[in-house]
Amino acid sequence: MNAFDIAAIFLTLTALLAYINHRFIGLPTTIGVMVISLLLSLIAIVLNALGFDTLIDYEKMLVGQLDFTEILMDGMLSMLLFAGALHINLQDLRRYKLPIALLAVVGTVVSTFIVAGLTYVALQWLGFNLGFIWCLLFGALISPTDPIAVMGILANANAPKSLNTVISGESLFNDGVGVVIFMLLLGVLTSGEIPTAGHIGHLLLIEAGGGISFGLLLGAVLYYLLKSIDSYQEEVLLTLAGVLGGYALASHWHLSAPLAMVVVGLMVGNQGRSYAMSDNTRHYVDLFWELVDEILNAILFVLIGLEIVMVSLNSNLLIAAILAVAIGLLARLMVVGGVTFNLQKYLGLPKGAWKVLTWGGLRGGISVALVLQLPAGAERDLLLTLTYAIVVFSILIQGLTIGRVAKSVTASQLKVL
């Protein structure tokens, strides 16, 4: 099949699953389509065990023709990050810059080592002989909260505004930090050489600093272009061209394209919306990017649900997967707890914020995309299983219950008042 046929199949499947969810199930769209696609995959696995292998063979053939990493990292991510940042208030972001910076930068680094250490001990206990560098890579790819999963689900969670801002802001920035750490560690794995402090600093300066600087420049150019005309068709087209072209250019120059798109989204969503767009243009820009966000999120979560047929599982791996989920939550709790308990009076967050921040630390497609970049072999297969377990638990269990956790924190605040 050619690329158009594959795209048509997945778009049609996503539309049908979204209809079924909306008509009969009623879950949030992203979670609903993922649940149904997971059920379809599990049915295929059960039928295969019973000797009916046609369905699973077709699904594996279809999924096998997709490069999940390329689709997400080089295709969807630019638009999803821009759409997510477009509706974040810059003043709110500045107000909570301290907790966002601590969680996105320091928290990601600390969590990487916590996850790596605990995973190494757990796997050794289970009899898996996995080198520590692989565990560090696992820590780097699983520690960042996924902006796509977080912002897609938080919209229905009714979390307090301050916590919504912190979780959304953290998720938008920490994936860039996590990707830089991951690429450094992947370089160590493939070359066998440990980078110097100067090399790490240079990479951070070029990747992160360059990405932010490029985003500021591109955002300024878009602002000027949007302000110079008043025609929603061309202005919507300019935002789309800026996102796709800017992401491609940043990647070509080896800058952090995700961070660049976050910065562009913040600039267009704040200064651009306030001073460079008419009410009519603002309406169409918001509507267009809301639809893009919803459609791409639905497709991505369907892909995650179908990918389960590529994951191998046995009793020992099942125990390892359960332990991985617990380790991910524990690492998140330790990072969030360390930040909120020690700096509570400086952060301006409500009491009990650690509950929402811990349970709202969702993982999603970015973690899956990164683990698939690892060299093929038994090590990658093991880490893929662990990553998939955390992502599924995160989206289905945490995603469906984060609203209750947020409401409990809000209720406790009202009682205090």
Side-chain angles (χ1 to χ4, degrees):
M1 285 186 288
N2 57 38
F4 179 81
D5 291 337
I6 296 173
I9 290 171
F10 278 103
L11 183 58
T12 303
L13 178 61
T14 301
L16 290 173
L17 297 189
Y19 171 82
I20 292 170
N21 174 68
H22 183 81
R23 180 73 172 81
F24 302 106
I25 302 176
L27 290 173
T29 302
T30 50
I31 297 179
V33 296
M34 181 176 168
V35 167
I36 301 172
S37 61
L38 269 173
L39 289 175
L40 290 175
S41 297
L42 292 174
I43 290 171
I45 292 172
V46 171
L47 289 175
N48 181 60
L50 296 174
F52 304 97
D53 56 4
T54 304
L55 183 58
I56 197 168
D57 286 345
Y58 182 77
E59 185 174 341
K60 284 185 175 180
M61 180 273 295
L62 200 59
V63 173
Q65 293 191 48
L66 296 174
D67 188 332
F68 188 91
T69 300
E70 184 177 355
I71 289 173
L72 177 58
M73 303 300 285
D74 296 333
M76 296 182 176
L77 189 58
S78 60
M79 292 182 281
L80 289 168
L81 288 176
F82 177 85
L86 195 63
H87 297 289
I88 290 185
N89 188 292
L90 201 54
Q91 290 183 343
D92 292 337
L93 207 61
R94 288 171 180 159
R95 186 177 305 137
Y96 298 103
K97 59 182 180 294
L98 179 58
I100 290 172
L102 288 173
L103 291 171
V105 181
V106 179
T108 302
V109 174
V110 172
S111 177
T112 296
F113 283 95
I114 293 174
V115 171
L118 294 177
T119 301
Y120 181 78
V121 172
L123 292 179
Q124 292 294 320
W125 175 66
L126 288 171
F128 294 100
N129 187 24
L130 191 69
F132 189 67
I133 183 64
W134 289 92
C135 295
L136 280 171
L137 282 161
F138 177 64
L141 67 89
I142 211 65
S143 290
T145 54
D146 191 319
I148 301 166
V150 169
M151 301 187 74
I153 292 172
L154 272 182
N156 301 305
N158 296 317
K161 184 179 179 181
S162 59
L163 296 181
N164 205 329
T165 300
V166 171
I167 295 176
S168 299
E170 177 203 1
S171 67
L172 282 171
F173 286 103
N174 68 6
D175 66 305
V177 176
V179 169
V180 170
I181 297 173
F182 179 84
M183 296 310 296
L184 277 170
L185 293 170
L186 187 58
V188 173
L189 177 69
T190 54
S191 68
E193 298 179 2
I194 299 177
T196 63
H199 176 69
I200 294 174
H202 180 263
L203 183 63
L204 288 173
L205 179 64
I206 298 299
E207 284 267 347
I212 292 173
S213 300
F214 178 74
L216 289 170
L217 177 61
L218 179 58
V221 171
L222 271 178
Y223 175 84
Y224 171 78
L225 294 175
L226 293 171
K227 189 174 176 63
S228 64
I229 61 173
D230 183 16
S231 175
Y232 74 86
Q233 297 97 329
E234 285 77 15
E235 291 182 76
V236 169
L237 186 59
L238 282 171
T239 61
L240 181 60
V243 171
L244 295 178
Y247 193 92
L249 196 57
S251 299
H252 178 72
W253 286 343
H254 302 290
L255 307 176
S256 177
L259 287 178
M261 290 306 101
V262 170
V263 173
V264 173
L266 290 173
M267 291 183 68
V268 173
N270 287 270
Q271 283 81 3
R273 282 168 54 83
S274 299
Y275 306 110
M277 299 180 193
S278 65
D279 290 341
N280 193 42
T281 296
R282 194 178 302 120
H283 168 74
Y284 280 104
V285 167
D286 287 347
L287 188 62
F288 173 79
W289 284 105
E290 181 182 339
L291 286 172
V292 169
D293 188 43
E294 288 287 338
I295 292 170
L296 292 184
N297 262 304
I299 293 172
L300 176 60
F301 279 72
V302 167
L303 291 177
I304 293 175
L306 296 178
E307 284 279 339
I308 194 173
V309 296
M310 309 302 288
V311 175
S312 58
L313 198 62
N314 55 45
S315 58
N316 219 23
L317 274 174
L318 181 60
I319 297 173
I322 295 172
L323 289 175
V325 171
I327 288 170
L329 286 173
L330 179 60
R332 178 71 181 173
L333 175 61
M334 292 172 69
V335 168
V336 168
V339 171
T340 55
F341 288 149
N342 294 321
L343 299 172
Q344 178 69 44
K345 63 179 180 180
Y346 302 106
L347 301 181
L349 296 175
K351 188 176 181 181
W354 64 272
K355 298 177 184 177
V356 181
L357 291 173
T358 299
W359 203 245
L362 308 178
R363 279 77 170 192
I366 290 178
S367 294
V368 177
L370 289 178
V371 76
L372 290 173
Q373 290 191 38
L374 294 173
E379 294 88 354
R380 189 184 78 164
D381 293 342
L382 170 59
L383 294 185
L384 176 60
T385 301
L386 302 187
T387 301
Y388 201 86
I390 292 177
V391 168
V392 171
F393 179 89
S394 171
I395 295 172
L396 296 189
I397 307 302
Q398 292 174 244
L400 285 173
T401 55
I402 182 61
R404 297 178 189 173
V405 177
K407 287 179 182 177
S408 70
V409 172
T410 303
S412 65
Q413 294 300 303
L414 292 175
K415 288 180 181 178
V416 171
L417 296 175

